[in-house]
Amino acid sequence: MLGFILSRVLQAIPVLLVVGLLSFVLFAYIGDPVSIMLGQDHTEAQRLALVAELGLDQPFLIRFGRFLMATVQGDFGISYRLAKPVGPLLASRLPATLELAVTATVLAFAAGVPMGVYTGIRANGLVARLVMIVSLIGVSLPTFLMGILLILVFAVGLGWLPSFGRGPVSAIGGWWTTGFSSWAGVRALILPAVTLGLFQMTMIMRLVRSEMLEVLRSDYVRFARARGLTDSAINFGHALKNTLVPVITIVGLQFGGIVAFSLVTETVFQWPGMGLLLVQSVASADIPVISAYLPLIALLFVTINLVVDLLYYAVDPRLRFSA
Amino acid sequence: MTPLLEVTDLTVEFPTRRGTLRALDQVSFSIGAGEVLGVVGESGAGKSLTGAAIIGLLQPPGRIAGGTIRLEGERIDTLPPDRLRRIRGRRIGTIFQDPLTTLNPLYTIGRQLTETMRTHLPISESEARDRAIGWLDQVGIPAAAHRIDAYPHEFSGGMRQRVVIALALCAEPRLVVADEPTTALDVSVQAQIITLLKRLTRDHGTAVMLITHDMGVIAETADRVAVMYAGRIAEIGPVSDVIRNPAHPYSRGLMDSIPSMAHRAERLRQIDGAMPRLNAIPAGCAFNPRCPSVFDRCRSDRPVLLPAGNGQAACWLHG
């Protein structure tokens, strides 16, 4: 078990190194920090002095090494746009994005799995067919359109929920902020979370459904029926558990995607998370923020993959012995 | 005395776009308490379908279109699904062909055993576990108390089929439908499994409907045998009579095609032709185009089961 985790962590290192290289190339070769920092009026001597001070005259490998050391220590440089250290800046945006992503994923999972099981069991029922047709909309409507439609109906039309922002937040432990502390904060979370989770939900539902249809035809389900087990024991105990391995994979990867690419939803709802920060940074060519975002997301994906592997391990005993 | 299982005129149909296919046509037989009835026939003759109909697990769109199934005198083919579910496992156990796929890979065999017992019997978890160890012991799993927490993939095919047998018998049913229980196994393991099944069902007084196409297994195990052809029973009778002195020309062809160690033949004997498809069953006797003793009446009138020797045969030769 420990060896398994260790080998996965070791495998992650080259991935992170490659991403770090990309991020470094982005950081070092796009734009010219020296001319940005000096402005237009400067002498050649001033320029060379700054180049030496920043270490830009050093060989590539040494600069890359320094970059890696700094990155590992959480030093991502200074944002051009906001003139603040990038590390704390990203950290201050992280809670908003994670809270949104986790809420969206929990919603998607909590609604998607039961609906998938239902449409799998009653594959030919009227309700199941209707749900499948409606779910096509969830899969095919782009997120920004869905967000705007939801704002139109629930914020503008009915006036039930706020259309933008995170509402009041309270700090926990110095660095985390949460919107769950007040009803207004929760209300502000609903529309963005539904927007972000809808696509995941329909995908989980369709995946669970097709897996259920497959598993319900299997010999062991037939044998479970022949043993006289109850329908609920068969559907939720024997069949559902066997559908979980692919579902866990997809939910895990989707969660990474939700965090990394929540920028659309965050832009639509002006949600003060990392996605919105990224969009604003791209707009103003704030390279340090962009190049710090890259290794951060890579780290997130690597972590999620490890968690997914460990979940497989928990669900499927066959993997425990071959691993 | 009422037989344990009595099947009368059982007809199973599959509605299709091009009309209704009749896969079982007025099948009648009975099984007494503790008796082993062998059911033989070639692929597609309706052996497995008969078993599936009895336990109420026909694959849709297949449905029972006629006839009755009685278990200990009680009609079970018309029971609502939940009542029928309570019979499965509790009063009729089932063994399937491929032990590699019939066990749920994600649960320990102990959990699958206790789950089955606790569904049907009013016993506690710990008692179910004790009994599960007892059953594993009875089916010949070594170190049962230790192996109970193992997963199916940790067992070989033969060992898994032993677990399947334990699962079929653990709620102590009066009847076991064994659908090709040895077909997927190594030849060397087949005999062990059959011996085990025979011993356990004899010890517990369980009747067996043994579906197979292996005449050797039937000869060794069954009390009576039913020969099926094209969804009908061609012949049914005591196993020694059907093997030594078959009354139906099809059974005779079947017995003649078994290779013998005593007579070295150049070629194996075979029955010319093939079993008709369900949508092209000829009028009269389904076997008439292949029958060496065919005469006029066979082509027009459908034979019913007629007394022949110690058994019955659906053949006009006995009319």
Side-chain angles (χ1 to χ4, degrees):
Chain A
M1 179 74 192
L2 210 66
F4 171 76
I5 295 177
L6 205 69
S7 80
R8 284 306 156 110
V9 171
L10 286 177
Q11 282 170 22
I13 288 175
V15 174
L16 289 174
L17 273 179
V18 169
V19 174
L21 182 67
L22 280 175
S23 164
F24 171 69
V25 168
L26 192 70
F27 183 74
Y29 295 103
I30 295 182
D32 182 0
V34 175
S35 60
I36 291 172
M37 287 168 91
L38 286 177
Q40 298 209 322
D41 292 324
H42 60 84
T43 63
E44 181 66 9
Q46 280 175 313
R47 198 185 70 81
L48 287 176
L50 188 61
V51 165
E53 194 191 320
L54 292 176
L56 296 179
D57 52 350
Q58 301 287 322
F60 178 84
L61 275 180
I62 289 179
R63 288 172 61 200
F64 182 45
R66 280 188 187 160
F67 173 84
L68 284 183
M69 286 304 292
T71 302
V72 169
Q73 287 162 7
D75 176 7
F76 298 99
I78 311 271
S79 159
Y80 299 158
R81 185 169 65 96
L82 300 168
K84 282 188 199 160
V86 171
L89 187 64
L90 281 173
S92 74
R93 298 297 195 108
L94 186 70
T97 295
L98 277 188
E99 217 164 79
L100 177 60
V102 169
T103 310
T105 304
V106 169
L107 279 181
F109 198 78
V113 169
M115 281 166 76
V117 171
Y118 178 81
T119 50
I121 297 168
R122 303 251 178 283
N124 294 319
L126 196 68
V127 179
R129 284 183 184 184
L130 213 68
V131 168
M132 287 304 289
I133 292 170
V134 174
S135 79
L136 266 181
I137 299 173
V139 172
S140 49
L141 262 195
T143 313
F144 69 88
L145 192 61
M146 189 53 95
I148 290 168
L149 281 177
L150 287 177
I151 289 176
L152 188 67
V153 174
F154 292 101
V156 179
L158 297 167
W160 290 350
L161 297 163
S163 64
F164 70 91
R166 207 181 165 200
V169 293
S170 47
I172 298 173
W175 64 283
W176 188 269
T177 56
T178 180
F180 280 109
S181 54
S182 67
W183 175 230
V186 174
R187 273 171 29 117
L189 187 62
I190 294 175
L191 282 187
V194 168
T195 306
L196 195 57
L198 205 64
F199 176 77
Q200 327 297 330
M201 186 199 83
T202 46
M203 218 170 62
I204 291 171
M205 186 198 102
R206 297 177 81 91
L207 186 71
V208 170
R209 173 182 178 271
S210 63
E211 290 290 324
M212 280 294 283
L213 289 177
E214 186 80 27
V215 170
L216 285 175
R217 275 199 299 267
S218 69
D219 281 354
Y220 53 81
V221 165
R222 196 171 143 73
F223 188 49
R225 288 197 201 293
R227 284 188 280 143
L229 302 187
T230 60
D231 281 351
S232 61
I234 291 170
N235 291 333
F236 292 96
H238 287 261
L240 181 60
K241 196 173 178 191
N242 272 285
T243 68
L244 281 185
V245 165
V247 172
I248 287 170
T249 316
I250 295 296
V251 171
L253 291 179
Q254 287 293 320
F255 180 76
I258 282 185
V259 175
F261 310 115
S262 64
L263 56 167
V264 174
T265 307
E266 291 190 5
T267 307
V268 170
F269 289 95
Q270 287 298 299
W271 188 260
M274 294 196 303
L276 190 58
L277 177 68
L278 181 70
V279 170
Q280 289 163 349
S281 302
V282 168
S284 53
D286 195 348
I287 303 291
V289 175
I290 301 170
S291 72
Y293 196 72
L294 214 59
L296 206 68
I297 294 302
L299 187 68
L300 181 76
F301 267 94
V302 165
T303 312
I304 288 171
N305 275 338
L306 181 66
V307 172
V308 165
D309 280 339
L310 291 178
L311 282 175
Y312 284 174
Y313 214 75
V315 170
D316 196 334
R318 283 167 295 187
L319 300 173
R320 281 173 221 165
F321 299 87
S322 56
Chain B
M1 196 190 118
T2 10
L4 177 63
L5 180 80
E6 189 169 26
V7 175
T8 314
D9 290 336
L10 178 66
T11 301
V12 168
E13 291 180 343
F14 283 80
T16 68
R17 253 173 266 159
R18 272 179 251 153
T20 302
L21 295 180
R22 185 165 281 201
L24 284 186
D25 198 352
Q26 300 191 319
V27 168
S28 302
F29 63 92
S30 64
I31 302 178
E35 186 186 33
V36 179
L37 175 74
V39 179
V40 290
E42 52 199 287
S43 302
K47 312 182 295 285
S48 296
L49 212 55
T50 309
I54 290 169
I55 58 173
L57 284 183
L58 283 174
Q59 307 269 26
R63 59 189 167 85
I64 295 177
T68 58
I69 302 169
R70 288 175 195 278
L71 183 68
E72 295 173 309
E74 176 198 9
R75 192 163 170 190
I76 61 168
D77 57 305
T78 49
L79 286 179
D82 196 60
R83 295 272 312 276
L84 196 57
R85 174 187 71 72
R86 284 167 209 275
I87 288 175
R88 285 198 295 268
R90 177 69 189 92
R91 293 166 68 190
I92 307 178
T94 311
I95 298 168
F96 285 132
Q97 178 173 342
D98 188 355
L100 299 184
T101 56
T102 44
L103 296 170
N104 189 332
L106 302 188
Y107 290 123
T108 64
I109 57 167
R111 160 146 188 196
Q112 299 187 48
L113 276 162
T114 52
E115 180 185 33
T116 310
M117 281 186 268
R118 294 203 67 199
T119 301
H120 296 296
L121 308 171
I123 56 174
S124 69
E125 187 66 34
S126 63
E127 179 170 4
R129 194 178 157 87
D130 289 346
R131 286 199 198 181
I133 294 172
W135 276 108
L136 290 178
D137 201 43
Q138 281 194 56
V139 297
I141 305 277
H146 173 64
R147 296 289 272 164
I148 185 170
D149 292 316
Y151 289 92
H153 71 271
E154 298 173 71
F155 293 88
S156 67
M159 283 294 158
R160 283 193 222 186
Q161 195 65 312
R162 289 171 189 264
V163 174
V164 170
I165 290 173
L167 277 164
L169 294 176
C170 68
E172 308 211 345
R174 303 283 320 274
L175 171 69
V176 168
V177 176
D179 190 352
E180 310 246 10
T182 58
T183 307
L185 300 174
D186 274 358
V187 178
S188 55
V189 182
Q190 286 183 356
Q192 295 172 12
I193 294 295
I194 284 298
T195 311
L196 173 73
L197 188 63
K198 223 164 102 175
R199 178 170 59 77
L200 280 179
T201 51
R202 195 190 52 224
D203 292 354
H204 292 267
T206 317
V208 183
M209 176 173 163
L210 180 61
I211 299 166
T212 179
H213 54 249
D214 187 337
M215 283 307 299
V217 167
I218 295 282
E220 212 178 299
T221 318
D223 301 312
R224 286 189 305 137
V225 58
V227 179
M228 290 192 72
Y229 184 78
R232 304 170 186 182
I233 289 185
E235 176 171 2
I236 183 166
V239 72
S240 53
D241 292 84
V242 176
I243 287 177
R244 280 197 214 105
N245 191 18
H248 194 286
Y250 175 66
S251 326
R252 205 172 300 141
L254 212 56
M255 301 310 151
D256 283 350
S257 63
I258 300 171
S260 151
M261 299 285 264
H263 313 282
R264 275 185 65 108
E266 289 295 308
R267 276 180 71 106
L268 290 178
R269 293 241 232 138
Q270 61 176 27
I271 310 173
D272 289 329
M275 196 168 69
R277 289 146 69 105
L278 289 179
N279 57 6
I281 292 179
C285 175
F287 188 60
N288 80 63
R290 302 170 76 187
C291 184
S293 329
V294 62
F295 54 101
D296 282 351
R297 195 179 179 187
C298 305
R299 296 195 181 92
S300 53
D301 297 349
R302 182 186 159 171
V304 291
L305 280 173
L306 301 163
N310 293 322
Q312 294 169 292
C315 179
W316 290 125
L317 289 174
H318 304 278

